[in-house]
Structure formats: structure tokens, C-alpha cells
Amino acid sequence: MTTVYVFDGLSLHKLTTEGGFPQLNPESATSLPPGSFVACSGIGEFYVVEKDSQKVLRLYRQSLTCGEWTLPGPVHQLFVHMHKVYCRGDDCVYVFDPLCADVETLWLGHKVTEVEAACHGFVFVDDKKELYAFHFNQGTRKVDLKGHVTKLLGRYNHSVAVLIDDAKVVFVNEKGDTRDDFILEITVPFVVLEGDALVTFSKECGLSFRTNDSCVALEGFSNKDVQLLVAPSAQCADTCSICFCEFEGEGGITLDCGHPFHRECIAEFSSRANSFIEKGEHIVFTYSVCPSGCGSHIRHAAAPLSTYMNRLYREIHEDAMRLLREVPGKAVEDLLYYVCSRCGKPFFGGERWCSRSLNGEPPKKPCELICSNCNNDFVCPTHGHHFVLYKCRYCCNPATRFSFGNRHMCEDCHGQWENVEPDPGSCRGAEECCLPAGHPTGGSYPIGCMLCMCFDKMSNKLFYPEQRS
């Protein structure tokens, strides 16, 4: 069962479980400076910021000071998440990495009054009682709620329990998603022990141990302000997840997901993150996520390309969600994106099954990858780049498909890719060709704007409209 400590402003008390219920062990009391901010990083291990020196972070083990570090600004709250120490400042959060003693400042742009860890970020409340979610890779997002935030109660099922209007509990994750279908009939701060077993605290009733069918009061803490601290169930690994060698000195770093690496190992690994650009291939994030396999995107100064790759990921995800609203039944993973050789931005370049049909993509140069906004072959004076109709790369039909980032194809030619790339054919002649006589053959070119062009319903042929002034 999870180890819980209770800090009453003077001493830390360990909760022990005897007979199935937690009890306070009076012999486990550990004295700390009065009014300190405390976070537990392991059994018997605590990070402390004293009231009289709010810029100094200290590590205590068995009441002994084992380390001391100076932070950039004053601290008003501490918590440990993914083997890092998060320190709430005035309008930011300082992130201390014990493995290398580095301090990162996450500027939030709001005066923060409360903060609670979520799965891949945290949730915080500002001085206007507005709620925000912070994702390590996606930044800050305001959470719109029906009601006013009373307080953050604690973490439950990878989300943060938020008390609204002193009555309703809403759960919010680091992306700002909300849900209220969790069954949690409490309105006071809590920590989770195991399953649905909780330890709760209120100044009126003190500490209580709650399960689905029982509630047992723990004596000794009524009419006091206390902090509930949870010891992490797993300790940080002492070897690099890439080379499997132990860390020496301060040569290691901890990623947001909690996995440790040598600084040189993660730098070398992530240096290959944008190799797809040189090959003219679709964007992949193989070297942009944690090598341990957890799927978390790398975000660290030791990996300089992580900032660029995270920006690509955000832009791709935003555009993919827009496309998926128009074409239901697909997922983000079904869409391929490429980097435009002119503007450097990602653009949609086809579906993933096209790339798999020939066990890879046809070779192409990076300079051939151009997004519609940068392609000036044809620009409609009324509708711009958005509704340009292209000739099929292999025949005279209008293209209805776009694949591999640079190939416009009709349905017939697109279907042939399951076996082999089609050969460019010659024009079928005026009787069958729907394009104007003497049009170029071989390759794709813009026919015109789909919204401005006309369709002859009798012959089902495309033709250019008359010149307009």
C-alpha cells in the first residue's frame, strides 16, 4: 500500500497500516522547520523549502540535511512528480532535476495560487480563481467550467479533482479535458492509497480513512492545517535507459516522463529526429519520443531538436483533427505529413496505407515537397490555393487523390499502386480525354480552380470557363 506522511507544520508523521486500516505511528515523527513547504520523494526522504528562506531547496533524509540548492525565486508549494521536484513560484513553476541539479523555469503567465500534478503536466489555479491545464509539450490551456473553482483536492486516476462552487467535483487532465463521471463523493483534500482507498483531511473533522463502504476517523489532527504527502511507489532508476550504464556525478538528466538518461546519450539519440527531411520522407517521431518506450515526447535542453519536433507535432495534430472532422472513420495515425521545402511547415501528403502498399515510398527529392500555400503554379484570384484541381500524374483524368507528398492521382491510377507504380500514359484523344486539346502529358499540373470551373453535364467533360473581366 502507498506510504503517506502527514505534516502538521512542525513534524512529519508516517501512516502505517495495521489490521487493514492506516494508523499514525508516533515513533515515526520527524521534526522540520515550522511552516515549511514539504514534498516527499521516497520513504524517509523529503524536499523542504523553509518559510524564512523561500529560495533555498533542501533535501532531508532521516532528519539530516543531505543537499541544498538555490532556486531563481521564492517558492510557495512543492510536489514531486516523475522523479522531479516542482516548486510553485509567483507566476511560474521551477522544476528541479535531482539527477543533474538543473532548474528549469516554466513561465505560466498567470499568478499561480494552487497547482497539482497530472499525468504529463499539471493543473493550476490563478489569483482570479480561473483554472488552467499545462501540458509539457502543448503548453497552457484555459479550462472552461460551469462555476467557480473552490480548490484543487488531489490527483485521482491520472486527473486532478477540482472542487467547483463548494459542491461539485470535476476531473481535469493536463490537456484541459474534463469529465465528471468518476464516483468521488468527497469535497475535501485527499490522497489515494490503493484502489479506491483514500485518506482525506478537513480542518473540522481531521484525518479520515475512506473506502467505498466505510469511513474511519484518525485522531489527533482536528483544528489543524496539515499537508498530506505521498511517497512515490517507484524510485528513479540508477542506470541510463540507452547505454544501461550507471550515472556518475551530475551527468544524467530526467525527462518529463521520469526516465533517466545520460546527457550525451539522449543528445545523440535525438539528433536523428529530423533525418526524414533529408530523405524526402513523411514526418516520423521515432527519435522524438522517449527511448524507453513510454511514448512521451522528449522535451529537454539536452535535445535541441525537441523544440522543433514538438512544434511539428502540435501543428500536425491540429491540422489532422480538422481533416478528421471532414472525413470520419480515420485516425491521426492514418494521415501522413511532410515538411514543405520552402516554408518549413508540415502539410498533409496522403494516407498511410499508400506508403505501405509498396513497403515504402517512391524516391523523391526534398525540394519536390511543396505545400499548397507555397505552390504558385496556379493561384485562383478568388479562392487562392485551396481548391486547385490537378491532372493525374499518370493519365488525363482529373486527380482525386494526393499521396507521398507530391503525387496527384486519379482513382484508377491510385488503385494500381497496390502492385506497382503506374506508367505515365499518352493522351487518349479528343473523344475520351476530358482536358483541352494539346494539353501537356506526363506529370501533374494544375487544371484550374474547382469552384470556378464548369462541368458539361451532357459529355461529363471538364473545360475552362470563358475569360472573365
Side-chain angles (χ1 to χ4, degrees):
M1 183 173 282
T2 305
T3 301
V4 176
Y5 291 88
V6 181
F7 181 56
D8 61 4
L10 294 173
S11 302
L12 280 163
H13 304 267
K14 183 179 179 181
L15 283 178
T16 59
T17 55
E18 295 181 5
F21 295 100
Q23 297 180 3
L24 288 171
N25 184 354
E27 298 179 358
S28 66
T30 302
S31 297
L32 290 177
S36 299
F37 301 105
V38 186
C40 181
S41 57
I43 297 178
E45 183 175 285
F46 307 93
Y47 284 92
V48 177
V49 171
E50 299 178 13
K51 187 176 182 180
D52 296 332
S53 54
Q54 290 184 284
K55 291 186 178 181
V56 179
L57 179 68
R58 293 185 173 91
L59 172 62
Y60 283 80
R61 290 194 183 102
Q62 306 300 332
S63 301
L64 300 176
T65 304
C66 300
E68 182 176 301
W69 303 270
T70 301
L71 300 173
V75 173
H76 313 290
Q77 180 186 350
L78 295 179
F79 63 89
V80 173
H81 182 54
M82 298 296 184
H83 309 302
K84 290 185 178 182
V85 185
Y86 290 78
C87 313
R88 173 170 66 87
D90 294 327
D91 56 354
C92 62
V93 170
Y94 305 114
V95 186
F96 174 74
D97 186 352
L99 201 56
C100 58
D102 286 347
V103 179
E104 177 190 14
T105 302
L106 300 176
W107 296 102
L108 302 177
H110 303 271
K111 186 173 179 58
V112 185
T113 59
E114 289 183 86
V115 63
E116 182 67 49
C119 185
H120 199 64
F122 48 82
V123 174
F124 68 91
V125 181
D126 69 359
D127 57 340
K128 299 178 182 178
K129 287 296 181 180
E130 293 181 332
L131 189 68
Y132 293 85
F134 180 87
H135 189 284
F136 290 129
N137 300 109
Q138 300 176 15
T140 304
R141 174 185 174 186
K142 184 178 179 181
V143 182
D144 294 322
L145 298 172
K146 295 181 179 179
H148 297 88
V149 177
T150 303
K151 65 171 61 177
L152 305 182
L153 300 181
R155 184 181 177 187
Y156 187 79
N157 282 3
H158 305 294
S159 298
V160 177
V162 183
L163 182 62
I164 307 297
D165 294 331
D166 290 312
K168 182 181 179 181
V169 177
V170 176
F171 297 88
V172 182
N173 65 15
E174 70 277 10
K175 296 180 180 180
D177 301 326
T178 61
R179 56 186 301 183
D180 55 7
D181 55 345
F182 286 147
I183 300 175
L184 190 65
E185 297 179 352
I186 60 173
T187 57
V188 294
F190 67 88
V191 293
V192 179
L193 292 182
E194 190 174 86
D196 292 324
L198 309 174
V199 173
T200 64
F201 169 77
S202 66
K203 196 169 183 179
E204 296 76 17
C205 303
L207 292 174
S208 298
F209 173 68
R210 296 173 181 251
T211 61
N212 287 334
D213 53 4
S214 65
C215 179
V216 179
L218 304 175
E219 298 180 357
F221 289 95
S222 58
N223 298 319
K224 291 184 178 181
D225 289 322
V226 305
Q227 298 180 50
L228 299 177
L229 311 175
V230 179
S233 57
Q235 296 298 308
C236 185
D238 56 2
T239 58
C240 174
S241 299
I242 294 179
C243 67
F244 303 107
C245 296
E246 295 184 355
F247 299 106
E248 296 181 2
E250 297 180 351
I253 62 168
T254 307
L255 299 184
D256 293 327
C257 55
H259 292 111
F261 300 92
H262 284 114
R263 191 180 297 268
E264 297 78 10
C265 290
I266 200 66
E268 194 279 331
F269 174 84
S270 62
S271 65
R272 293 169 280 179
N274 64 345
S275 59
F276 54 84
I277 297 179
E278 301 174 358
K279 301 176 183 178
E281 297 177 349
H282 66 269
I283 298 172
V284 294
F285 295 96
T286 305
Y287 297 102
S288 303
V289 296
C290 176
S292 67
C294 69
S296 172
H297 283 253
I298 297 172
R299 186 193 65 88
H300 201 281
L305 285 175
S306 63
T307 301
Y308 170 70
M309 294 303 297
N310 286 328
R311 178 178 65 81
L312 281 184
Y313 180 81
R314 290 193 299 270
E315 293 176 356
I316 289 173
H317 190 270
E318 180 180 351
D319 187 71
M321 296 307 295
R322 177 187 61 82
L323 291 177
L324 293 176
R325 285 193 293 268
E326 301 173 1
V327 185
K330 300 286 185 180
V332 175
E333 293 74 18
D334 297 326
L335 310 180
L336 296 184
Y337 280 79
Y338 297 79
V339 174
C340 176
S341 59
R342 295 183 181 177
C343 66
K345 295 182 178 180
F347 68 94
F348 171 70
E351 296 183 15
R352 184 171 296 277
W353 80 268
C354 298
S355 178
R356 291 173 176 168
S357 61
L358 287 179
N359 296 320
E361 300 185 28
K364 51 188 173 293
K365 298 178 181 179
C367 62
E368 298 176 3
L369 299 172
I370 304 173
C371 69
S372 60
N373 290 330
C374 294
N375 192 336
N376 296 319
D377 292 341
F378 179 86
V379 180
C380 175
T382 304
H383 305 104
H385 303 84
H386 300 293
F387 300 98
V388 178
L389 180 65
Y390 282 82
K391 169 192 169 296
C392 175
R393 184 185 182 96
Y394 307 103
C395 70
C396 297
N397 290 331
T400 56
R401 295 273 189 168
F402 184 50
S403 301
F404 310 120
N406 72 336
R407 280 165 165 74
H408 297 273
M409 293 177 278
C410 66
E411 289 294 332
D412 291 340
C413 295
H414 182 266
Q416 296 181 37
W417 266 100
E418 295 185 8
N419 300 311
V420 66
E421 181 176 6
D423 293 325
S426 58
C427 180
R428 297 189 297 257
E431 292 296 326
E432 298 183 17
C433 181
C434 60
L435 298 178
H439 68 82
T441 58
S444 298
Y445 68 89
I447 299 173
C449 175
M450 286 188 287
L451 299 185
C452 295
M453 297 180 71
C454 302
F455 290 86
D456 186 336
K457 297 181 181 180
M458 298 299 294
S459 62
N460 197 28
K461 291 184 178 181
L462 287 167
F463 64 97
Y464 286 100
E466 296 179 356
Q467 294 292 329
R468 300 175 183 175
S469 58

